[in-house]
Amino acid sequence: MFPILTEHFELKLTDLKYSLRSYLEHDPGIDPALVMVNLDDYSKEKSGYDLWPYPNYAETIEKINAGGPTSLGLDIVFTISIDTSGWTRLLAAIGDSYVTVNPYIVEFGDGKQTLDTHKHKGILKELSYDELPHIKPGLVQHIVDLPYKTKQPFQEISAGLGFANIEPDADGILRRLPVVGEINGMLVPHFFLRLISEHLDYNLKNIEVVSNRLMILHNFPSENGNQDLKIPLDGQGNMLINYLGNNKIQNLIKMGKFISIPAWEIIGSRKPLELEGKSVLFGDTSMPAKDFSITPIDGQLTNPLIYVIAMSNILEGSFIYPASTFTPLILVLILFMALGFSAVKTDVLKFGLISAGLLIGYIILNFSAFIYFGRLVPILWVILPLITACGFMLIYLVYQSQVTMGVLEGSLQSYLSPHLMDKIKNDPDMLKLGGERKRITVLFSDIAGFTSFTDKADPAEVQSVLEEYFSEMTSIVFANKGIVDKYMGDGILAFFENPPDGVTSAQAAIKSAVAMQEKAGELDKKYQGQNRFPFSVYVGIATGYAKVGNIGPPEKVDYTVIGSVVNKASRLDGPGDPGDILMDEDTYFFVKDDYEIEDFGSHELKGFEKLVQIYKLKAGVSA
């Protein structure tokens, strides 16, 4: 599936899905029970401190406590500094809230490593108070160290602890959070999940990680009572963040549906905010703190805001559902079958159109599934094998069509002259029924005395003579761009058309007739040496207008000619002698300057009321 090559571009396509969904205003919302208190640039500027002193933190927390929140998340790791003034007040403020959740930072590693329980016994003791469930190793990320954590006094007075790790994807964009982790077989919650549990008074021991793709919060509180809430995971124990665009966030703030307030305004307020039933997250969102991440939409967001979005995803049950490992494979197989069926049932052009339709249709459905249903299905892992298959199938179909065309062309060459084949290739409309009135020259030749020969000769000998005669004479007609209309017993009916820019049919017919008589002389010498009958042919040539084209009923169509000029050519051999080349007056007009021709007189021809003027080409004489 080429994951190394496609991972980067697949992630960018995922970001495009987020952006398109935001543009179409199908973003999720933020749960109204969530509130942000921001230690932002405004608060630091107004206070006059870039590094806030403990009394400021303490006063902010006291004002929040006065509002009566259900939980308070402090996205700040407090450590003892040189300036300890206000330390006692801060501890008291956190202790008085009874609902404060503090963060710590972990290090993920190999599942074979274990956490040093003696080194971290203090925080492990605090975590054990939550009666966290056991988890099978390998389902979520394994924690091997706790490098950053608040001091022990803060741990002891906290309502709970949660790790606050942020892990961007390979391209530096944050799309997922490790919702839970594992310490020596014990499940531990992320900071935002621990804050939710405090907010809802939810017992964390009801969490079950079914697999690396599914986590269930059993008996999770909702509007319809306690129910099991299924959280989809990405195969590595992470929850994909269902982001919303910054424009929607600002609109929610303006409409009062999401409270996001600077810490300085909390301190300056004479009366506390109404925070009953609400979960508050207090974090440093100022630029110097650099506590932000790059997101798929709108660039950077502060990490505290990202935690709030993740909390809202769980509270609202609004998730991104990543596809299972087998989903791309199943889709590829289904599309392969569709391609295979179309390849068998259609021609190259239709197959190309169907293939393009399948590719475009899959992309549209893929984006729609994400935008409207939150289903994240890979695009490239399906499209690339499909494009490869389409390419191979198209090459194969083109090859097969060329082979078929070659076989067909080879077969048609037995029925059509090369000149006619070229004309059909250049102008396929010639295959339509109907004819066109054209000036042409018709040539008719037959063998002298052939009837008496057939009465005496063996049928196999007759066939041998005819095959050689037809082959030699037809080659001559083809060489002069003529068309053999039909074989009539021992006769050959051929005609010659004129190019768009001139009248050359008569010259081509005469040239063919001369070559045919020369070939007849060669055959006569050959046959007399075999004690066969004397071989000679009559040739008659007439020029005039005829209907030329595909003529006949749909069941049997011939590219042929119809007109009196055809009958005239077939009758001209009557007055002449074997070896003669006779022509009508119209033919004579076009070739008189190129050959020595004698007047053969006017003759009565069958089917013609008037006498027909005939001319005779002197044998072996040309201009």
Side-chain angles (χ1 to χ4, degrees), residues 101-166:
V101 176
N102 277 294
Y104 61 96
I105 305 299
V106 303
E107 179 184 333
F108 295 112
D110 191 338
K112 295 180 181 178
Q113 295 178 266
T114 58
L115 185 72
D116 187 341
T117 55
H118 178 75
K119 178 181 177 182
H120 302 291
K121 63 180 179 180
I123 191 170
L124 291 176
K125 178 181 178 182
E126 297 300 326
L127 289 172
S128 67
Y129 290 143
D130 285 327
E131 298 181 354
L132 297 169
H134 290 282
I135 182 174
K136 182 181 178 181
L139 295 180
V140 296
Q141 295 191 72
H142 177 67
I143 297 171
V144 297
D145 197 9
L146 308 174
Y148 300 103
K149 49 187 178 293
T150 57
K151 288 297 181 178
Q152 189 67 27
F154 288 97
Q155 298 175 22
E156 294 175 352
I157 61 175
S158 297
L161 300 172
F163 68 90
N165 286 54
I166 295 286

Side-chain angles (χ1 to χ4, degrees), residues 334-389:
I334 292 173
L335 293 172
F336 271 17
M337 287 189 289
L339 284 177
F341 181 80
S342 62
V344 172
K345 297 294 183 180
T346 61
D347 56 23
V348 176
L349 177 59
K350 290 181 179 178
F351 174 77
L353 293 174
I354 291 172
S355 299
L358 283 175
L359 293 171
I360 295 171
Y362 174 75
I363 293 173
I364 292 174
L365 289 175
N366 189 290
F367 271 76
S368 299
F370 181 85
I371 292 170
Y372 298 105
F373 304 103
R375 305 291 173 174
L376 183 59
V377 182
I379 290 182
L380 295 180
W381 293 1
V382 175
I383 289 295
L384 289 180
L386 199 62
I387 291 175
T388 303

Side-chain angles (χ1 to χ4, degrees), residues 82-375:
I82 297 175
D83 181 11
T84 59
S85 60
W87 179 262
T88 303
R89 182 182 176 185
L90 176 59
L91 283 173
I94 294 175
D96 291 343
S97 75
Y98 299 106
V99 291
T100 302
V101 176
N102 277 294
Y104 61 96
I105 305 299
V106 303
E107 179 184 333
F108 295 112
D110 191 338
K112 295 180 181 178
Q113 295 178 266
T114 58
L115 185 72
D116 187 341
T117 55
H118 178 75
K119 178 181 177 182
H120 302 291
K121 63 180 179 180
I123 191 170
L124 291 176
K125 178 181 178 182
E126 297 300 326
L127 289 172
S128 67
Y129 290 143
D130 285 327
E131 298 181 354
L132 297 169
H134 290 282
I135 182 174
K136 182 181 178 181
L139 295 180
V140 296
Q141 295 191 72
H142 177 67
I143 297 171
V144 297
D145 197 9
L146 308 174
Y148 300 103
K149 49 187 178 293
T150 57
K151 288 297 181 178
Q152 189 67 27
F154 288 97
Q155 298 175 22
E156 294 175 352
I157 61 175
S158 297
L161 300 172
F163 68 90
N165 286 54
I166 295 286
E167 293 196 338
D169 287 327
D171 59 355
I173 296 178
L174 182 66
R175 300 181 181 88
R176 64 201 78 220
L177 286 173
V179 62
V180 293
E182 177 255 322
I183 297 178
N184 298 346
M186 179 177 66
L187 181 147
V188 291
H190 193 280
F191 175 69
F192 76 88
L193 180 59
R194 184 61 186 83
L195 190 55
I196 289 175
S197 70
E198 190 63 35
H199 167 60
L200 298 176
D201 195 22
Y202 178 70
N203 196 332
L204 292 172
K205 70 179 181 181
N206 290 324
I207 297 177
E208 178 188 6
V209 179
V210 179
S211 68
N212 56 10
R213 291 192 172 273
L214 177 63
M215 185 174 79
I216 300 177
L217 305 183
H218 293 287
N219 300 317
F220 190 77
S222 67
E223 294 180 356
N224 301 320
N226 291 355
Q227 296 180 344
D228 288 352
L229 178 65
K230 296 180 179 180
I231 300 178
L233 305 178
D234 67 348
Q236 297 177 339
N238 301 309
M239 183 186 82
L240 293 174
I241 306 169
N242 197 2
Y243 282 105
L244 62 158
N246 191 51
N247 287 338
K248 184 165 185 177
I249 294 172
Q250 297 305 318
N251 288 335
L252 291 173
I253 293 173
K254 290 178 182 178
M255 293 185 294
K257 295 183 178 180
F258 173 47
I259 299 175
S260 180
I261 186 170
W264 188 251
E265 290 188 11
I266 294 284
I267 292 177
S269 176
R270 293 185 177 181
K271 60 178 182 179
L273 289 175
E274 180 58 52
L275 298 175
E276 289 187 9
K278 296 186 181 296
S279 177
V280 179
L281 195 150
F282 177 25
D284 191 341
T285 60
S286 64
M287 289 300 295
K290 297 183 179 180
D291 192 18
F292 53 79
S293 296
I294 302 175
T295 66
I297 319 177
D298 302 325
Q300 295 178 348
L301 290 179
T302 63
N303 289 332
L305 178 56
I306 293 173
Y307 294 151
V308 167
I309 293 173
M311 291 173 65
S312 180
N313 292 164
I314 292 179
L315 293 175
E316 297 286 327
S318 176
F319 301 112
I320 298 296
Y321 297 87
S324 69
T325 306
F326 297 103
T327 298
L329 179 60
I330 294 171
L331 290 172
V332 167
L333 291 176
I334 292 173
L335 293 172
F336 271 17
M337 287 189 289
L339 284 177
F341 181 80
S342 62
V344 172
K345 297 294 183 180
T346 61
D347 56 23
V348 176
L349 177 59
K350 290 181 179 178
F351 174 77
L353 293 174
I354 291 172
S355 299
L358 283 175
L359 293 171
I360 295 171
Y362 174 75
I363 293 173
I364 292 174
L365 289 175
N366 189 290
F367 271 76
S368 299
F370 181 85
I371 292 170
Y372 298 105
F373 304 103
R375 305 291 173 174

Side-chain angles (χ1 to χ4, degrees), residues 27 79 85 149 168 278 350 422 544 609 613:
D27 288 343
T79 57
S85 60
K149 49 187 178 293
K278 296 186 181 296
K350 290 181 179 178
D422 291 338
E609 295 180 358
Q613 176 64 41

Side-chain angles (χ1 to χ4, degrees), residues 22-49:
S22 182
Y23 174 78
L24 296 174
E25 298 183 352
H26 279 279
D27 288 343
I30 295 180
D31 192 283
L34 301 177
V35 175
M36 278 192 68
V37 175
N38 305 298
L39 177 53
D40 54 8
D41 293 323
Y42 169 79
S43 298
K44 289 187 175 182
E45 181 183 351
K46 288 297 183 180
S47 68
Y49 294 102

